[in-house]
Amino acid sequence: MIRLVALLLTALTGFSGLVYEVTWQKYLATLLGSHSEATAAVLGLFLGGLALGYSLFGEVTRRLAARAQSQGRAAPLLIVYGAIEASIGVFALVFPLLFGAVQALSFLIPHGSAGLGFALDVALSALLVLPPAVLMGGTIPILTQALARSLDDATRFHALVYAFNTAGAFAGALAAGYWLVPSLGLVGVLVAMGVVNLVAGGVFLALGWWRPPTALRTLPAAETVGHVAGYAGFAAVAGLTGFAMMTLQSVLIRLGGLTLGSSQFTFSMVVAVFVLCIALGSFAVSALRRIPPRLLPISLWLLLLLLAVFYWGVEDLPYWAYALRSSYGNQDAEFYAYYLATFAALLAIIGLPVALAGAVLPLMFHALRERVTNLGNVAGRLYSWNTFGSLIGALIGGYALLYWLDLHHTYRIAMAAIALAAVLASGIPPQRTQRIGMGILLACSLAAIAALPAWRPERLNLGLFREQPGGPFAFAGPRVFYAEHPLLGQAEKNGHLKWIFHDDDPTASVTVTDKLDARGRHVRGLRTSGRGEGTLFEADTTMRLAGLLPAIFAEKMERVFVIGYGLGMTVGELAALRTLHEVRVAEISPAVIDAAPLFDYGTLNASTQPNVKIEISDAYRALIRSQGKFDAIVSIPSNTWVAGVEMLFSREFLAAAHARLEPGGVYVQWFHSNGFRSQDDQPDPLALALHTFATVFPHVAVWYGSGPELLILGLLDDRAALDLDRIEQQVRRKDVSEGLVRAEIRSLASLLAHELLPLGVVHSAQLPSTLHTLLHPRLGYLAARAAFTGSEGPPLPSADLETARIGQRNALQQRYAERFGGRLPDEERGKIIAQICIHRPRECQAQVAVWTRDVPDSPLRTFVTSALVENSQGRIQLNAVPALLPLVGIVAKDASPVSVADATQATELFILYYTHAAPFSREALADIWRRCEADPAQAGACRAGREAAERRLGPLSAGLAPAEPA
C-alpha cells in the first residue's frame, strides 16, 4: 500500500516538476530574454540542478541507510523525502517574490558589456532555479533505497519510480502548454503546483512516521559504487545517452517547428512524446520477469538502427503532416482531434527509439545492483551522469553546435554518441581482447553515420503548415507532391525559382529563394523555420510603410529602435531618412543577418549603411538594456502564434517601450491578422492585442499595409497625427515621398487610404477586458488556436454610436474631404479606391458603395472598379456592393417590406463592412428595421431584432441624415 501511494505521488510530483520547468522558462525570459542562449541557460540550470541533486541525494541516502543500519533501526528516508517535497512547494509559493527581488537586483547592478551582463543575469537566475532543481533530484535515489524490498525487487521498483515520475512529467508537459499557463497565469500555476508539492510532502511525512520501511542492507563505504569494476563504462553510457537524447529532442523540436509550425503546442507535444516514451521504456523494464545480460547493448544498437531509419524519412515529414492536416477541416471543434492525431503520429514515428532510450538507465541500474546494494547511491550516481549528459546535450547539441552545423549534422552527432554508448555497453567491463573489435565496430558505425546524405532544406522549409490544407496533391504521396509543388518540382522544371541560401542557427532555420518576375527583376523571399517573412517587390508596402509612418507622425526622427531585421526593407527606409543618425536593430537570428546582403539590392543597401547598428539579441532584453531614448520604436517580429513572440505584445514590454520614447515619439507594431477566428469562450487575438496596447499608449491608431498585415501606432501626442497640413508637408519631403513610391503609394490620398482605425477608436471600442501580460500570457495560445481555422477573423466592435462618432471625426480621409467641401473629387476618390481594393476587400466594397451613393453616374468609378476587378485575376470581388447600398442610404422607390431575416442580415453587414473613412448611414439601418416593423405579422419579432441591434450599435436614429431614395 505504501509503495502504491508513493508511486502515485511520484507521478504527481513529476507532473509539477515539468510544469515548473515551463513556468520558470517563461519567468526567466523576462530577465534573460527568449533567444536561444537564454533558453539553453535556463534548461542548463534546471538539468544541472537535477544532476547535482541526483548525486547529492544518492550520497545522502547511502549515509542515512548506513547510519540506521549501524544503529539497528530503519532509516528515516520517507521523512527526509517528505521534507524535500514540502520544501519544493514552499519555494514555489515564494518564487514570485524571489523573482521580483532578483529582477530588481539585476537592474541595479551595472552590466557593462552585453556578454558580461548576460552572464551576470544567468548567475542571478541560478539563485532561483538551482535550489528547487537540486531538491527534485532526491526523488529516484531516496525512493529506490527506501521502498525496494530486495535486490531482486530493486530493478522492478526502481524502474517503476522512474516510469511513474516520467509519466507525470508527460502529463505536465501537455497541461502546461495547452491549459495551465494560459488559464491560470504564471503566479497561479506556481501556487497550484506549490500546493501539490506541499500535499505530497505531507503524505510522505505521514507515511514515514506511520510505517517506516526497512531499508536494504548497505555495504561499507570502501565498496561504494565508484569502486566497482566497469562502473566507469556505465557512467559513460549514461552520459552519452543523456547527451544524445537531449540533442535529438532539440533537433526534433526544430523539425516539429518546420513540420507543424513553431507554436507552443508543437514544443509541448514533442517534449510530451519524449517524456511519455521514456516512461514507457522504463515501464517495460519493470514488467520483465528476467533481464538478459546483453539486453542493454542490444537496446542501444536497436536504438541506433531506428534513428538511422528515421533519418532517411525526415525530408518527407512536412508532407505527411500536411496530408494529416488535410484530413481535418478548419472548424475550431476539430482542433483537439487534429492535435490528438498528430500526437499519435509522433508517438508512432519516434515512440520506439525513445522508449529504448528510456530503458537504458533501469537496465544499467539492474546490472549494477547485483554488484552493490546501496541502491540509492547507485541510482543517484547513474542519474547524475545521465542528467549531466543531458545538460551538455542542451548546451552543446541543442545550441552551440548550430552556430557552425546544420540540423542534420547535429542529428548525426547524436547518433555517433549512441554508437559509442552501444560499443561501450557491449564490453562492460572491457576485456583487453575485445578492444580491437570494439574499435573496428565503432569506426564502421561512425563511417556509416558520416555517409548519410544531407537533408534537403528546400523540402523541410516549404512551410506547408501555412498552406491551405486539402490541395490537389495532398494525398498523392511525397514523390508526386514535391514534384508538383510550385516552389519545388515545377519551379525546378521551369527554372524560375532557386533556393540560394540556407542556414540552421540556434534560433531558426533560414532560407532565401530567388526568381525572376515579369520585368526581369530578382525577387527574393525570406523564410524562417518555414514561415514566409516577406518577398522583395511583391509585398513591399507593409515593411516600407512601417519605416515611413514614424517619419510622418513623430515629432522628430534622429534615433530609432527596430525589432526584427527581416528582409531589411524597414531598416533601409529608416536609414535613408536624411535626419536619421542611428537605426539600432535587435535581431534574434544570426542567420537572418548572414542572409541580409542578399536583399541589399532592394533595401537601399540596408545591411551596410553606416547609421545602422545591428545587435544579435532578444528584442526584450535589448530594449530594456538600451541606453537613452528613441524618437520611434518599430516592432516587426514574427507571427504571434510563434513561441516566444508573444512577449513583444505584453503589457510589460509595451510599457518598457513607452518609457524609452521621446515625448513626441511613435511606437509602430506589426500584426498579422489573417487566419484569426475567435472561439466562443475566448477573446479574439487582435482584440486582445489592441486592448493591451490601449492600456499603455494614450493615443492608438491602426493602419494596414499589404492585405491582412496591420500596423498599430502608439503615439504619446496625437496633435501631429491629426494635423493634415503637417502630414502633407512630411509626405512632400523628398526622402519620404521617394520611400512612399517604393511602397507603391504615390499620393496623399493613397496614403490616407491605409488608415483603418482612426485615433480614438480603439480606446472607445468595446474590447474585451482581458489583458496579455508576462505573468499571464494568453496571446500565443489564442493565436495558435485561432490560426488553426485559417480564415479572417470577425471585425472589431467599433461601429457603435460613440465609437463611430469618434472615428468619423478623426478619420483622415474625412478631414481630407473637408478640403473639398465635404465630398472628395472623383479623381482623389479613385486613388483611394485603387489603393484600398488591392489590400482590403471589406473596406473596398464599403468605399465603392459610398462612392456610388455620392456620385451615382461617375464614369471614373466605373472605369476604376472595372479595371481593378479585371486586372486582379479574381482576387478583387465586388459581390457585396449591391447588398451594402441600402446601408449607405440608397433605397429603391418601390422597396418591398423587409423580413426579420433580411433586417438581421443588414445589421450583420453593417457591422462586418463598417469603415470609419466611409461610414454607413445609421438612419438607413433604422429605416430597414422600421420597414420590418411595418408588417403586423412580424412586428413583435422585428422590434426584438431592432432592440438587439441597438444593444450592439446604440441608437440607430442618432444624429444622421435620413436615407436618400435612389
Side-chain angles (χ1 to χ4, degrees):
M1 180 64 180
I2 290 180
R3 301 203 329 165
L4 177 60
V5 172
L7 289 173
L8 293 176
L9 289 175
T10 300
L12 201 58
T13 57
F15 178 93
S16 67
L18 206 292
V19 174
Y20 284 138
E21 182 185 350
V22 173
T23 307
W24 292 337
Q25 177 68 60
K26 291 185 176 292
Y27 253 111
L28 293 175
T30 66
L31 182 65
L32 301 174
S34 59
H35 52 309
S36 53
E37 292 94 331
T39 302
V42 176
L43 185 57
L45 290 173
F46 183 75
L47 292 174
L50 282 178
L52 181 59
Y54 287 137
S55 180
L56 173 65
F57 286 107
E59 181 62 21
V60 167
T61 301
R62 187 190 67 79
R63 294 192 178 192
L64 287 173
R67 181 184 303 171
Q69 179 180 313
S70 67
Q71 297 174 354
R73 61 178 176 82
L77 294 176
L78 290 185
I79 293 176
V80 171
Y81 185 64
I84 289 173
E85 286 296 340
S87 299
I88 296 172
V90 171
F91 197 92
L93 294 178
V94 301
F95 185 93
L97 296 176
L98 295 175
F99 176 79
V102 166
Q103 190 176 42
L105 182 60
S106 171
F107 285 119
L108 286 175
I109 300 174
H111 275 50
S113 67
L116 180 62
F118 181 73
L120 174 63
D121 285 338
V122 170
L124 291 173
S125 300
L127 299 176
L128 298 170
V129 174
L130 281 181
V134 170
L135 292 173
M136 290 177 191
T139 301
I140 291 174
I142 293 178
L143 293 184
T144 298
Q145 181 72 46
L147 297 175
R149 294 167 179 157
S150 65
L151 285 180
D152 291 336
D153 173 65
T155 297
R156 178 177 178 275
F157 185 74
H158 164 79
L160 284 175
V161 171
Y162 184 35
F164 269 84
N165 191 252
T166 310
F170 151 72
L174 289 179
Y178 282 82
W179 177 60
L180 283 175
V181 171
S183 298
L184 301 180
L186 301 186
V187 175
V189 166
L190 287 177
V191 169
M193 294 303 102
V195 171
V196 166
N197 285 101
L198 285 172
V199 170
V203 174
F204 275 113
L205 286 170
L207 290 176
W209 274 311
W210 174 52
R211 184 184 291 178
T214 302
L216 290 176
R217 177 181 174 275
T218 184
L219 294 181
E223 299 175 0
T224 56
V225 64
H227 296 82
V228 174
Y231 173 74
F234 283 113
V237 171
L240 287 167
T241 305
F243 168 83
M245 297 315 293
M246 182 54 69
T247 300
L248 288 171
Q249 178 177 294
S250 300
V251 172
L252 288 173
I253 288 173
R254 290 286 295 274
L255 291 175
L258 292 168
T259 301
L260 304 169
S262 303
S263 71
Q264 64 187 47
F265 297 143
T266 298
F267 174 84
S268 297
M269 191 160 44
V270 173
V271 171
V273 168
F274 251 78
V275 175
L276 173 63
C277 293
I278 287 173
L280 292 176
S282 194
F283 272 123
V285 173
S286 72
L288 294 175
R289 292 188 176 183
R290 178 179 174 275
I291 299 178
R294 309 306 296 173
L295 187 56
L296 175 60
I298 290 173
S299 298
L300 287 168
W301 284 116
L302 182 57
L303 169 58
L304 182 62
L305 177 62
L306 291 174
L307 291 177
V309 172
F310 178 77
Y311 183 96
W312 284 94
V314 162
E315 287 183 349
D316 292 336
L317 286 178
Y319 163 75
W320 292 115
Y322 177 75
L324 179 62
R325 179 66 184 88
S326 298
S327 302
Y328 292 84
N330 291 335
Q331 300 302 313
D332 183 64
E334 298 184 75
F335 173 82
Y336 284 112
Y338 163 70
Y339 272 98
L340 183 62
T342 304
F343 182 86
L346 279 173
L347 201 60
I349 294 170
I350 65 174
L352 183 54
V354 180
L356 288 169
V360 167
L361 284 177
L363 289 174
M364 285 194 292
F365 175 85
H366 173 77
L368 278 172
R369 74 98 172 85
E370 295 179 341
R371 310 174 193 188
V372 178
T373 53
N374 48 343
L375 302 180
N377 201 17
V378 173
R381 295 284 290 275
L382 277 180
Y383 281 77
S384 179
W385 279 110
N386 181 259
T387 309
F388 179 74
S390 298
L391 167 63
I392 300 302
L395 297 179
I396 305 299
Y399 166 64
L401 287 179
L402 290 172
Y403 269 109
W404 304 285
L405 305 176
D406 288 335
L407 288 174
H408 66 277
H409 295 122
T410 307
Y411 186 100
R412 287 189 282 185
I413 288 173
M415 289 180 65
I418 293 295
L420 179 56
V423 169
L424 290 174
S426 301
I428 297 176
Q431 303 296 322
R432 184 172 299 178
T433 56
Q434 294 177 316
R435 290 177 181 173
I436 295 177
M438 292 170 60
I440 294 174
L441 183 60
L442 177 61
C444 292
S445 300
L446 296 180
I449 292 170
L452 291 171
W455 294 332
R456 285 172 284 187
E458 60 270 22
R459 288 197 173 191
L460 288 175
N461 289 272
L462 269 180
L464 296 179
F465 55 86
R466 296 302 291 158
E467 293 190 10
Q468 185 66 27
F473 301 100
F475 303 105
R479 185 181 62 81
V480 174
F481 179 85
Y482 288 129
E484 298 297 331
H485 196 280
L487 294 181
L488 285 181
Q490 290 299 323
E492 292 171 357
K493 292 175 185 176
N494 300 328
H496 290 164
L497 184 140
K498 297 178 181 179
W499 297 71
I500 61 174
F501 176 90
H502 170 258
D503 186 24
D504 294 316
D505 69 26
T507 299
S509 298
V510 176
T511 54
V512 177
T513 58
D514 181 272
K515 68 177 181 180
L516 296 178
D517 66 3
R519 304 183 197 177
R521 301 181 302 180
H522 283 280
V523 179
R524 289 178 177 168
L526 177 72
R527 290 173 179 266
T528 60
S529 297
R531 303 181 305 274
E533 302 290 358
T535 306
L536 275 177
F537 303 137
E538 288 188 351
D540 288 7
T541 303
T542 305
M543 296 300 111
R544 298 191 189 278
L545 198 57
L548 295 168
L549 286 179
I552 294 171
F553 293 124
E555 184 176 308
K556 60 185 179 68
M557 283 290 283
E558 297 177 357
R559 191 166 184 254
V560 176
F561 189 92
V562 179
I563 298 169
Y565 185 89
L567 281 75
M569 284 185 282
T570 301
V571 174
E573 294 298 338
L574 286 166
L577 297 173
R578 56 179 173 79
T579 59
L580 246 296
H581 303 319
E582 180 185 14
V583 181
R584 183 162 294 276
V585 183
E587 170 56 54
I588 198 169
S589 171
V592 167
I593 302 305
D594 291 342
L598 295 173
F599 297 97
D600 277 350
Y601 72 98
T603 64
L604 306 175
N605 297 308
S607 71
T608 60
Q609 291 299 321
N611 58 349
V612 174
K613 312 297 181 184
I614 300 175
E615 179 180 356
I616 305 297
S617 173
D618 169 80
Y620 189 95
R621 183 175 178 84
L623 181 62
I624 293 294
R625 300 292 180 187
S626 62
Q627 300 296 317
K629 292 193 174 185
F630 301 93
D631 300 303
I633 299 174
V634 183
S635 177
I636 310 179
S638 191
N639 301 81
T640 48
W641 52 263
V642 176
V645 171
E646 66 177 359
M647 285 184 62
L648 302 179
F649 295 84
S650 67
R651 193 180 191 282
E652 293 87 343
F653 179 79
L654 295 173
H658 182 286
R660 281 157 180 77
L661 282 174
E662 294 285 0
V666 176
Y667 183 88
V668 178
Q669 175 69 68
W670 175 87
F671 191 97
H672 197 290
S673 64
N674 195 33
F676 283 170
R677 180 186 295 167
S678 60
Q679 292 80 53
D680 293 337
D681 59 339
Q682 300 288 352
D684 177 72
L686 176 57
L688 174 63
L690 285 177
H691 176 63
T692 303
F693 204 91
T695 63
V696 175
F697 289 97
H699 310 288
V700 178
V702 179
W703 290 53
Y704 70 87
S706 301
E709 296 183 274
L710 305 181
L711 296 170
I712 307 171
L713 275 62
L715 300 97
L716 305 189
D717 187 340
D718 66 338
R719 288 173 296 180
L722 294 174
D723 187 344
L724 196 58
D725 292 334
R726 183 183 183 280
I727 292 173
E728 185 173 21
Q729 182 182 7
Q730 294 296 98
V731 168
R732 287 179 176 175
R733 281 175 41 187
K734 185 175 185 295
D735 51 351
V736 175
S737 63
E738 289 177 350
L740 289 173
V741 169
R742 287 189 290 271
E744 299 182 351
I745 297 173
R746 293 176 170 81
S747 66
L748 176 62
S750 299
L751 172 66
L752 301 183
H754 283 267
E755 183 187 52
L756 190 62
L757 298 180
L759 285 170
V761 167
V762 171
H763 282 90
S764 176
Q766 299 173 7
L767 299 176
S769 59
T770 309
L771 284 175
H772 170 62
T773 68
L774 291 177
L775 293 182
H776 201 150
R778 296 178 172 93
L779 185 60
Y781 167 80
L782 291 174
R785 282 283 307 266
F788 177 80
T789 63
S791 59
E792 190 174 359
L796 293 172
S798 65
D800 63 277
L801 179 60
E802 184 58 29
T803 305
R805 284 175 173 170
I806 293 173
Q808 189 169 2
R809 181 175 68 247
N810 291 341
L812 293 176
Q813 284 188 49
Q814 296 281 355
R815 291 174 174 245
Y816 188 51
E818 291 173 4
R819 290 184 173 183
F820 304 95
R823 179 172 293 181
L824 286 170
D826 271 14
E827 182 179 354
E828 297 301 299
R829 185 120 55 171
K831 294 174 184 177
I832 291 174
I833 295 293
Q835 189 70 216
I836 200 169
C837 287
I838 296 172
H839 303 290
R840 305 287 302 183
R842 287 180 185 167
E843 291 76 11
C844 164
Q845 299 195 74
Q847 293 261 16
V848 170
V850 171
W851 195 2
T852 303
R853 179 199 64 193
D854 292 346
V855 191
D857 300 321
S858 169
L860 184 59
R861 186 191 76 246
T862 303
F863 172 77
V864 169
T865 54
S866 299
L868 286 170
V869 171
E870 182 179 350
N871 296 330
S872 70
Q873 298 179 340
R875 290 184 293 107
I876 298 176
Q877 301 286 338
L878 301 178
N879 303 351
V881 172
L884 299 180
L885 293 178
L887 298 178
V888 299
I890 299 179
V891 181
K893 294 180 180 178
D894 57 347
S896 58
V898 178
S899 67
V900 177
D902 289 343
T904 301
Q905 182 184 22
T907 302
E908 296 302 324
L909 289 174
F910 188 99
I911 296 171
L912 182 63
Y913 286 88
Y914 190 87
T915 173
H916 298 278
F920 296 145
S921 167
R922 302 174 68 83
E923 179 60 33
L925 183 58
D927 184 63
I928 291 173
W929 281 108
R930 281 195 294 268
R931 287 160 54 202
C932 177
E933 295 172 30
D935 184 354
Q938 58 180 5
C942 290
R943 280 193 296 272
R946 175 173 178 150
E947 290 171 0
E950 291 191 329
R951 282 194 294 272
R952 300 170 69 184
L953 296 170
L956 296 180
S957 301
L960 293 177
E964 301 175 10

